[in-house]
C-alpha cells in the first residue's frame, strides 16, 4: 500500500496470487518469530523483524506480521501455552522495532503534523506506535507522546507540536471511568482547528463521547485514506 501501482492493467488473478503469496510469507514469518520466542532468543526476533522490514511495505509488516505475532502470543498466554515472559519479550521487541522505524522515517520538512498518544487509563501503546510509524512512512510529521498521558497534557502539547491532527489509541477492553473522563476533557477542549482521530479495539466503546467531533477507525485501510487526505503519500 505504500508503493506506487506500476502496472494498472495487472489482472485480478495476478493480484489474488500476490495476496496469497503475501499471506503465506506472513504465516511463515510469524512461525519464525514464534520459534525464536519459544527459545527466548531476542536477537533472532530482532533479526527476523529487521529482515522482514527490507522485503515488506510498512503496512504489510505491521498488519500481516507484527500485530498477528503479538496477538498470537497473547492468545497462547491466555490458554496457558506461553508465559507472561514470552508476551513481554515479544511486546518489547515489537515496540523497539516500531520506534526504530518511526525514527528512520522521520523527515524535517512535512506537509502536516500529527500527534499520537493514549489517554490516562490506557497503557497499551503498540497499536498507536504502529499508526505513528505508518504516518511517518507516508511522509507526514509525527509527534509521539506515548501511553497513559493525561488529557490536559495532550491538549497542551498540540500547539507547540504544530499538530493538525490528534490521534488517540484506545485499546483497554473495559470502558474505564478514568479513560471516559479523559476522553470527555479532550473532546470538549480540543481546538476546532485540530482534527480528532481515534482507533483501537476499544474506540467504539467511546463513540457516544467522541460523537461528531472525531473520526473512529476500524481498520488500517480507512486510516491510510485519511493520511493521504491530509497530505501523506498515496504510495
Amino acid at each position: 500500500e505504500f508503493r506506487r501501482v506500476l502496472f494498472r492493467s495487472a489482472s485480478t488473478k495476478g493480484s489474488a496470487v500476490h495476496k496469497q503469496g503475501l499471506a503465506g510469507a506472513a504465516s511463515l514469518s510469524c512461525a519464525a518469530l514464534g520459534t525464536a520466542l519459544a527459545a527466548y532468543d531476542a536477537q533472532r526476533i530482532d533479526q527476523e523483524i529487521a529482515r522482514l522490514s527490507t522485503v515488506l511495505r510498512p503496512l504489510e509488516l505491521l498488519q500481516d506480521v507484527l500485530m498477528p505475532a503479538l496477538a498470537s502470543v497473547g492468545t497462547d498466554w491466555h490458554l496457558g501455552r506461553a508465559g507472561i515472559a514470552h508476551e513481554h519479550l515479544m511486546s518489547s521487541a515489537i515496540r523497539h522495532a516500531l520506534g526504530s522505524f518511526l525514527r528512520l522515517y522521520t523527515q524535517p520538512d512535512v506537509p502536516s503534523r500529527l500527534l499520537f498518544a493514549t489517554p490516562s487509563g490506557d497503557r497499551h501503546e503498540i497499536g498507536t506506535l504502529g499508526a505513528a510509524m505508518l504516518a511517518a512512512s507516508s511522509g507526514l510529521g509525527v509527534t509521539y507522546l506515548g501511553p497513559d498521558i493525561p488529557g490536559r497534557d495532550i491538549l497542551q502539547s498540540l500547539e507547540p507540536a504544530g499538530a493538525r491532527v490528534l490521534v488517540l489509541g484506545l485499546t483497554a477492553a473495559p470502558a474505564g471511568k478514568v479513560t471516559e473522563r479523559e476522553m470527555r476533557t479532550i473532546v470538549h477542549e480540543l481546538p476546532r482547528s485540530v482534527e480528532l482521530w481515534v482507533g483501537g479495539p476499544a474506540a467504539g466503546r467511546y463513540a457516544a463521547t467522541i460523537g461528531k467531533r472525531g473520526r473512529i477507525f476500524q481498520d488500517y485501510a480507512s486510516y491510510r485514506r485519511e493520511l493521504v487526505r491530509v497530505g501523506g503519500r498515496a504510495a
Side-chain angles (χ1 to χ4, degrees):
E1 280 78 4
F2 286 99
R3 190 174 299 164
R4 291 190 181 279
V5 179
L6 300 179
F7 302 100
R8 295 186 181 277
S9 60
S11 67
T12 303
K13 179 179 179 181
S15 176
V17 169
H18 169 73
K19 291 180 179 179
Q20 184 178 7
L22 178 60
S27 179
L28 290 174
S29 300
C30 289
L33 288 173
T35 299
L37 180 65
Y40 292 94
D41 194 335
Q43 183 177 9
R44 281 179 59 194
I45 294 173
D46 290 342
Q47 290 173 342
E48 181 65 12
I49 293 175
R51 182 188 70 80
L52 292 168
S53 72
T54 66
V55 297
L56 296 176
R57 291 167 267 192
L59 181 58
E60 293 169 347
L61 178 66
L62 182 65
Q63 74 174 7
D64 297 327
V65 177
L66 298 185
M67 299 309 289
L70 188 60
S72 178
V73 70
T75 298
D76 286 345
W77 173 60
H78 283 293
L79 294 177
R81 296 195 297 248
I84 189 65
H86 290 105
E87 193 275 336
H88 282 195
L89 177 58
M90 183 63 80
S91 296
S92 177
I94 292 177
R95 186 182 300 107
H96 174 75
L98 290 175
S100 297
F101 296 145
L102 177 58
R103 291 187 290 274
L104 175 66
Y105 291 126
T106 297
Q107 301 178 26
D109 300 318
V110 293
S112 297
R113 183 166 293 278
L114 295 77
L115 188 142
F116 294 78
T118 76
S120 289
D122 199 320
R123 298 181 176 86
H124 302 283
E125 67 173 320
I126 290 181
T128 307
L129 183 56
M133 183 271 287
L134 292 179
S137 71
S138 70
L140 296 169
V142 168
T143 297
Y144 180 73
L145 299 184
D148 199 18
I149 306 295
R152 295 196 183 280
D153 288 86
I154 293 174
L155 292 167
Q156 291 171 4
S157 302
L158 292 167
E159 183 176 356
R164 172 180 173 182
V165 180
L166 170 60
V167 185
L168 297 177
L170 296 173
T171 57
K177 292 182 179 180
V178 173
T179 305
E180 175 69 32
R181 183 174 65 248
E182 293 292 284
M183 286 302 300
R184 289 185 183 278
T185 296
I186 292 170
V187 169
H188 292 159
E189 300 185 19
L190 186 68
R192 302 305 302 179
S193 59
V194 178
E195 295 187 29
L196 175 61
W197 299 359
V198 184
R205 296 178 181 269
Y206 301 91
T209 300
I210 296 167
K212 296 182 179 180
R213 182 61 183 87
R215 304 176 68 90
I216 296 177
F217 297 101
Q218 303 294 339
D219 54 56
Y220 286 115
S222 57
Y223 171 70
R224 185 171 60 92
R225 287 194 293 270
E226 290 303 295
L227 291 178
V228 173
R229 181 179 63 81
V230 298
R233 289 191 295 268

